[in-house]
Amino acid sequence: MTLMETESAPAGAVDDLRSPLALERQRRPEGRDRYTISEVAEYAGLSAHTLRWYERIGLMPHVDRSHTGQRRYTDRDLDWLDLVSRLRLTGMPVADMVRYAELVRQGEHTFPERERLLSAHRDDVRMRIAELRSTLEVLDYKIDIYADARRASEGA
């Protein structure tokens, strides 16, 4: 299963252990598929306020509620949050993440548009990585200058 397949995998589908999200699933309590908002906040490293905001803006799919109205998140919800966290980490704008979530909810006929959205973002991420590598080279160069100067002064 790939990152893309986590959003629409049928219940009981077997995960590909090579998936980057498979590692995230290993952090979850075994034998559970219902989580409170505080448990999910701790798991995802987000505040309960942020989780409610994700729901309100349409980034988080419908979250089930208990008979008392408390949110009850499922493993599928956690899979989605894992993907959203990865997209956030890459710097994807919230508006694009919300658009992606809308496309997922619309169904398989949106695969081409989802692919275009993610491909365009991947291009942006690759450009940012190149910028960061270039910046790292400058930092390494400056650090080497200071390290050489320090060693020279210590040897004098």
Side-chain angles (χ1 to χ4, degrees):
M1 177 178 296
T2 65
L3 275 174
M4 294 299 298
E5 292 168 334
T6 60
E7 77 236 358
S8 61
V14 177
D15 291 332
D16 182 343
L17 295 179
R18 295 168 299 181
S19 165
L21 296 180
L23 296 175
E24 298 298 328
R25 289 186 195 98
Q26 293 173 6
R27 297 187 308 146
R28 298 179 192 164
E30 281 193 45
R32 294 201 39 209
D33 188 37
R34 292 281 184 243
Y35 308 91
T36 65
I37 195 167
S38 60
E39 290 170 326
V40 172
E42 182 178 341
Y43 168 82
L46 301 169
S47 68
H49 174 77
T50 299
L51 291 169
R52 288 188 290 270
W53 180 67
Y54 280 5
E55 250 186 284
R56 197 167 47 253
I57 65 171
L59 183 56
M60 191 70 202
H62 170 75
V63 176
D64 289 335
R65 303 279 183 139
S66 69
H67 67 284
T68 60
Q70 295 176 318
R71 288 171 177 83
R72 291 290 180 240
Y73 294 84
T74 65
D75 282 331
R76 189 177 178 114
D77 295 325
L78 296 185
D79 288 347
W80 179 257
L81 281 173
D82 289 339
L83 176 61
V84 167
S85 295
R86 301 281 179 137
L87 295 176
R88 278 184 39 227
L89 186 60
T90 65
M92 180 179 268
V94 172
D96 288 349
M97 289 189 288
V98 170
R99 176 67 184 140
Y100 181 76
E102 290 169 354
L103 292 170
V104 169
R105 283 190 292 272
Q106 290 174 20
E108 292 182 6
H109 71 280
T110 65
F111 279 0
E113 191 171 349
R114 288 188 240 174
E115 180 185 9
R116 281 191 299 276
L117 189 145
L118 292 177
S119 292
H121 183 63
R122 179 183 59 197
D123 292 344
D124 292 343
V125 169
R126 285 181 172 156
M127 188 171 57
R128 179 74 176 129
I129 289 170
E131 291 170 347
L132 288 172
R133 282 191 178 127
S134 174
T135 301
L136 184 58
E137 288 174 11
V138 171
L139 288 173
D140 288 342
Y141 172 77
K142 295 300 280 184
I143 289 168
D144 288 345
I145 288 173
Y146 295 127
D148 289 346
R150 179 183 43 78
R151 281 190 292 273
S153 69
E154 290 172 353

